[in-house]
Amino acid sequence: MVNNVETLAAVVPIINIGGEEYAKIGVGKSTGTKLISACGNINKPGVYEIDMTISVEEFIYSDEYCGGIPNGKRLKACIPGGSSVPILPANLLLTTAKGEKRMMNYESLNDGGFATGTMMGSGGFIVLDEDQCVVRHTLSLARFYHHESCGQCSPCREGTGWMKRVLSNIESGKGKMSDIDLLWDIQRKIEGNTICPLGDAAAWPVAAAIRHFRDEFEWHVNNPEEAQRRNFGLAHYADPLPVPQPVA
Amino acid sequence: MAEEKKLFKVTIDNISVEVEPGTTILNAARQIGGDIVPPAMCYYSKLQGSGGKCRTCLVKVSKGSEADPRPMPKLVASCRTTVMDGMEVANITSPEVIEARKGVVEFLLLNHPLDCPVCDQAGECHLQDLSYEHGVSATRYEFKRRTFDKIDLGDHIQLHMTRCILCYRCVFTADQLTEKREHGILGRGEHAEISTYIKESLDNDFIGNVIDVCPVGALTDKTFRFKNRVWFLKPVDAHRDCENPKCCGKTTVWLRGNEVFRVTARKDQYGEVEAFICDTCRFEKKEATDWVIEGPRKISRASVISQGHYVGTVQPKETIEKVLDGRKPKLLMDIHSVSQVNRPDIDLSQIDGPAHSDDFNKKGVQ
């Protein structure tokens, strides 16, 4: 059995305070604590241990955790659970589709399924501010999964490289409008058809980027030269909420 | 059948079969036979540990078992999933499976050169059959395909990695049949390739079997390369007393006239060999006098080799008149309307003997 550091780190407090006491931390089924490795456009990147009762908004903006987004920029998107989980635009990240406040726990992040939700995953929290390009970001994820593929089973071996090349075409201004539908079709044929979950992990970020940021992909295709000079900006999926004032 | 041995009942595409515990879904489907057998590119029943890689045999398990009727959340590889009692499987009845298989065929063909016109495997290629049966006609891949240089593996075998689909069958064959395993997969991901360690030659007694297990034209017989197309040859069962104790000496000899073009192991309807043969039989016995001919070999796979043999086909009972409901068959195109030579005002039946060009020009008529 393979254990990661997070599991081993949780063993000591469980032994010290007992399993039942430990399970009282947190909320609902998300008991205990969770290590969140926060990075991207935030003031205080680092590994935070949270008790899964705080909201996503609080986690990003409070000084206790990430400390907000530097240079007064606004939040564009976020990958809350490691590179393989679906990316969410700011409006869906901070509130769920039902209009509730999204909390940093397994159930709340998963609310809405893949259509309007995402996953807690491994807790690799990546924040993208308004200067980031989702197409370029998706390309780097696709490149990573192409590099990581072991090459045993055919959908992952051939599909990850294909997605990377199509994305790289779109990013470098050589894309066609049909490439977006092609990407969607490729990810659909990889997901669930591979031996290990790396195929799913390669497919989900591409799927979510197209699902939520299709207009940005289309803008890249329609304005190939402009897309080389500037990024798409925020559009309608911008952070709709005012930045809360830090609690004194 | 022993009483204590309980058989598992499994339903594949609404056809039930009872199989022994531990049978895979693919083998249960092969016991039923027919169209519901999932295609397999990497699984090889004679090789331990093969399968699970190509993903063409994906099926949908709509009911896990009698005890736990939940369906399996994903499509599963039928070659590696064992049956449970009461399992219900959908293969060709599930559009999801057909769609996924189409995707897998597209992925397999993505980096395949499609050089069938110059490939020795053409006609008996599993990938060819698979893409005819399950693939789409055009590719959507617009990038440069992966290519490799050809490698000579010893005197008799040539490796053309460009055609390889990385099924790992030859690796298992070399590992399980020969005494010293000398080849395997180098690299990872898209860069994975079959190779020998530092490109040594392969000269084990049984290494020639990698040619038979290769589903595509990546490993080809150098003594047969470019000599003939397989569908021009006549496969016959033959045997000889082989000196090698591990070799059964029972082979298929591919003849044209009295000339032996190549020798392979006998393959069953799924393209798997019945018994492996040694390299002496395969590469060195190329005289008709070396072999005792038993009789014609039936190539039962739906391959171009079977063209003109029509084994097991059933003549339709309906006649043309019956299908047309008593009407006379009507020609789709009136020859007089398109031909410059035949003219509608000439009744051909009035001409004596064979027609001459004079009969058709106006002068002749007048």
Side-chain angles (χ1 to χ4, degrees):
Chain A
M1 189 178 172
V2 181
N3 288 303
N4 66 9
V5 180
E6 186 178 3
T7 314
L8 295 173
V11 169
V12 179
I14 291 173
I15 292 172
N16 281 345
I17 64 174
E20 282 181 16
E21 278 298 306
Y22 186 78
K24 282 179 189 163
I25 309 170
V27 57
K29 285 183 190 167
S30 305
T31 57
T33 63
K34 174 82 187 154
L35 293 180
I36 302 287
S37 162
C39 65
N41 302 114
I42 44 176
N43 277 324
K44 288 161 65 187
V47 178
Y48 298 97
E49 187 174 19
I50 59 164
D51 65 356
M52 296 198 262
T53 54
I54 60 168
S55 68
V56 177
E57 192 184 349
E58 188 189 345
F59 184 73
I60 295 177
Y61 291 111
S62 102
D63 277 340
E64 195 185 338
Y65 300 108
C66 300
I69 295 164
N71 306 324
K73 303 266 186 197
R74 292 170 71 195
L75 174 67
K76 179 177 185 178
C78 174
I79 302 176
S83 67
S84 68
V85 310
I87 189 172
L88 275 190
N91 47 5
L92 278 174
L93 177 78
L94 301 180
T95 49
T96 64
K98 291 178 202 154
E100 294 161 7
K101 198 165 230 210
R102 208 183 279 279
M103 311 296 286
M104 284 293 282
N105 61 43
Y106 293 101
E107 293 89 51
S108 181
L109 281 172
N110 209 354
D111 190 82
F114 276 6
T116 57
T118 176
M119 277 161 66
M120 186 104 180
S122 64
F125 198 86
I126 308 167
V127 178
L128 277 70
D129 73 11
E130 57 190 277
D131 285 347
Q132 306 306 315
C133 170
V134 171
V135 178
R136 164 161 284 218
H137 178 79
T138 314
L139 169 64
S140 16
L141 295 178
R143 194 169 57 218
F144 168 75
Y145 285 107
H146 172 230
H147 178 261
E148 288 300 305
S149 168
C150 83
Q152 256 197 83
C153 61
S154 21
C156 174
R157 179 181 67 232
E158 312 288 355
T160 51
W162 194 5
M163 288 202 298
K164 183 196 89 173
R165 291 189 183 98
V166 173
L167 275 167
S168 137
N169 261 7
I170 297 177
E171 163 64 22
S172 60
K174 287 179 276 183
K176 297 190 293 287
M177 204 52 97
S178 60
D179 282 349
I180 304 169
D181 290 327
L182 175 67
L183 269 178
W184 182 264
D185 201 48
I186 302 172
Q187 69 81 19
R188 199 167 56 86
K189 280 170 175 167
I190 298 175
E191 189 202 339
N193 293 345
T194 52
I195 299 175
C196 79
L198 194 120
D200 300 351
W204 289 340
V206 176
I210 296 175
R211 190 183 297 123
H212 298 301
F213 298 92
R214 197 183 173 102
D215 44 356
E216 183 159 349
F217 280 84
E218 285 173 359
W219 180 78
H220 259 262
V221 171
N222 286 331
N223 308 289
E225 282 171 21
E226 201 181 351
Q228 306 299 306
R229 292 197 305 274
R230 69 174 189 93
N231 82 347
F232 181 62
L234 282 164
H236 64 272
Y237 39 77
D239 168 8
L241 302 170
V243 178
Q245 296 302 312
V247 183
Chain B
M1 195 59 66
E3 280 296 312
E4 67 269 19
K5 205 169 209 177
K6 192 181 179 303
L7 291 179
F8 282 176
K9 189 183 168 211
V10 53
T11 309
I12 302 168
D13 285 343
N14 303 323
I15 305 171
S16 294
V17 67
E18 292 204 326
V19 294
E20 285 185 15
T23 315
T24 59
I25 298 173
L26 181 74
N27 279 330
R30 283 184 178 184
Q31 286 183 24
I32 299 171
D35 288 341
I36 63 147
V37 183
M41 297 297 287
C42 63
Y43 172 76
Y44 212 74
S45 57
K46 314 288 184 300
L47 300 172
Q48 219 178 357
S50 66
K53 303 208 168 40
C54 68
R55 318 305 284 176
T56 54
C57 67
L58 290 173
V59 290
K60 187 177 172 62
V61 176
S62 44
K63 182 184 169 190
S65 69
E66 209 61 70
D68 183 7
R70 285 177 302 168
M72 290 194 186
K74 289 179 183 180
L75 303 181
V76 296
S78 59
C79 62
R80 301 291 285 175
T81 312
T82 50
V83 297
M84 301 298 287
D85 196 19
M87 187 183 259
E88 281 175 19
V89 180
N91 178 22
I92 52 173
T93 49
S94 160
E96 198 186 336
V97 171
I98 304 284
E99 192 62 23
R101 196 164 287 154
K102 224 175 245 178
V104 172
V105 175
E106 188 171 22
F107 287 134
L108 284 175
L109 290 174
L110 217 57
N111 276 305
H112 194 77
L114 291 175
D115 57 347
C116 309
V118 295
C119 177
D120 279 309
Q121 190 84 5
E124 53 178 8
C125 175
H126 292 212
L127 190 60
Q128 234 177 8
D129 296 348
L130 182 81
S131 40
Y132 272 122
E133 284 160 21
H134 303 284
V136 287
S137 54
T139 181
R140 295 175 292 173
Y141 192 66
E142 296 173 339
F143 304 94
K144 208 178 161 189
R145 284 161 198 251
R146 183 174 63 210
T147 50
F148 296 89
D149 289 335
K150 293 190 188 80
I151 304 171
D152 278 340
L153 303 177
D155 295 336
H156 300 307
I157 306 170
Q158 187 168 59
L159 167 64
H160 196 172
M161 252 313 288
T162 312
R163 293 173 185 157
C164 179
I165 57 161
L166 287 165
C167 69
Y168 288 60
R169 275 180 183 180
C170 62
V171 180
F172 287 113
T173 309
D175 193 23
Q176 290 167 26
L177 246 63
T178 60
E179 288 176 358
K180 203 171 82 188
R181 179 180 150 188
E182 285 167 330
H183 91 298
I185 306 277
L186 300 183
R188 179 170 68 77
E190 219 181 46
H191 310 289
E193 61 174 305
I194 305 276
S195 186
T196 53
Y197 301 142
I198 330 177
K199 294 188 181 167
E200 286 174 352
S201 69
L202 296 176
D203 58 349
N204 281 300
D205 280 350
F206 282 85
I207 197 67
N209 288 301
V210 296
I211 298 166
D212 275 348
V213 301
C214 184
V216 293
L219 289 159
T220 45
D221 185 344
K222 273 169 79 181
T223 62
F224 177 63
R225 261 179 89 77
F226 306 133
K227 293 271 169 63
N228 218 316
R229 308 304 317 224
V230 288
W231 55 89
F232 292 141
L233 303 177
K234 191 174 143 202
V236 291
D237 279 350
H239 68 266
R240 64 181 278 272
D241 292 326
C242 186
E243 306 79 30
N244 196 321
K246 282 186 212 143
C247 174
C248 64
K250 289 177 183 158
T251 61
T252 301
V253 173
W254 298 71
L255 296 167
R256 189 167 188 181
N258 258 343
E259 201 179 341
V260 176
F261 270 86
R262 66 164 184 172
V263 181
T264 64
R266 294 181 185 174
K267 292 187 183 179
D268 64 13
Q269 57 169 320
Y270 302 111
E272 297 183 1
V273 305
E274 288 171 5
F276 293 107
I277 60 167
C278 71
D279 284 8
T280 318
C281 290
R282 184 187 301 274
F283 297 124
E284 282 157 33
K285 303 294 173 189
K286 292 287 178 88
E287 296 293 331
T289 48
D290 291 330
W291 297 97
V292 181
I293 309 286
E294 293 169 11
R297 176 80 193 163
K298 278 182 192 166
I299 305 293
S300 42
R301 293 176 69 229
S303 166
V304 70
I305 305 175
S306 308
Q307 205 186 31
H309 298 306
Y310 301 116
V311 180
T313 50
V314 183
Q315 282 283 335
K317 283 178 199 141
E318 296 86 1
T319 56
I320 292 176
E321 284 78 19
K322 209 171 176 186
V323 172
L324 288 174
D325 201 23
R327 281 171 288 138
K328 284 254 170 79
K330 190 179 156 194
L331 292 175
L332 290 176
M333 195 187 285
D334 186 0
I335 186 79
H336 298 298
S337 64
V338 289
S339 169
Q340 295 291 313
V341 178
N342 292 349
R343 297 168 57 82
D345 50 341
I346 298 169
D347 188 356
L348 294 179
S349 61
Q350 298 301 311
I351 299 168
D352 292 331
H356 190 264
S357 58
D358 286 346
D359 296 328
F360 297 108
N361 55 37
K362 276 185 179 165
K363 235 191 270 175
V365 175
Q366 287 163 356

